[in-house]
Amino acid sequence: MSKLMKTMLIVLITLTVLGVAAIIIVLNLNSSEADGERSIDEIREASLETEEMTTDLESGGFVRISFRIITDSTDGLEELEKRDFQMKNVIIKQLAQMDEKAFKSDLTTLEETIKLRLNEFMEEGTITDVYTISKVLQ
């Protein structure tokens, strides 16, 4: 092998090792930020408890329900507070499509759907979680 080929091979291997090392460092920095879970105080500061709402279900029953909606930041919370009318509309529409059986057995899907629908409106932040904190089926 010629001297030029050896030099090119060494440079190529060195660049490959440096590239892999850089990728590992970047991925570890991003994952450590993602793993840095927020404290419960930070979560509460960025969350909104809805007022109790009473509405009808598709099957004719009535439900009284409230949620705690968690945003990713205080900016997201401020935006959600401004969009309270849209939030209430989303919740009412989702409940109006449910029957009593689905309401009793599938709150997780309701919470996830509300989260997805609200995130369609959000510009300053995102909804990370929706928790049902009270419910009564009548």
Side-chain angles (χ1 to χ4, degrees):
M1 219 194 296
S2 72
K3 193 173 184 178
L4 179 62
M5 287 294 279
K6 286 181 184 178
T7 304
M8 286 179 21
L9 187 60
I10 290 172
V11 169
L12 182 62
I13 291 172
T14 303
L15 288 175
T16 303
V17 169
L18 289 174
V20 169
I23 289 172
I24 290 171
I25 290 171
V26 168
L27 290 177
N28 282 337
L29 286 177
N30 287 341
S31 68
S32 67
E33 289 173 8
D35 292 342
E37 297 212 7
R38 300 185 294 173
S39 71
I40 190 65
D41 292 327
E42 292 170 327
I43 291 171
R44 286 187 63 92
E45 286 176 11
S47 71
L48 172 72
E49 186 173 322
T50 66
E51 57 189 55
E52 197 168 67
M53 300 173 64
T54 303
T55 188
D56 58 330
L57 298 173
E58 183 179 47
S59 57
F62 285 87
V63 64
R64 190 174 326 144
I65 194 164
S66 62
F67 299 93
R68 180 164 293 270
I69 301 174
I70 313 296
T71 64
D72 64 344
S73 64
T74 53
D75 289 342
L77 174 61
E78 288 176 20
E79 181 180 5
L80 182 62
E81 289 170 341
K82 292 176 187 176
R83 295 180 178 278
D84 67 327
F85 64 97
Q86 290 171 316
M87 174 188 61
K88 290 175 185 177
N89 180 264
V90 165
I91 292 170
I92 290 170
K93 284 183 176 181
Q94 289 309 126
L95 289 168
Q97 296 173 12
M98 295 182 78
D99 62 14
E100 290 181 22
K101 183 179 177 185
F103 181 77
K104 287 180 183 177
S105 64
D106 204 11
L107 283 178
T108 303
T109 301
L110 173 65
E111 293 166 346
E112 188 64 28
T113 303
I114 290 171
K115 179 177 109 173
L116 293 172
R117 294 286 317 278
L118 290 176
N119 276 323
E120 292 173 5
F121 297 113
M122 298 293 286
E123 295 174 0
E124 297 296 318
T126 58
I127 307 300
T128 59
D129 291 293
V130 175
Y131 296 101
T132 303
I133 56 174
S134 71
K135 71 176 183 83
V136 176
L137 180 62
Q138 300 173 349

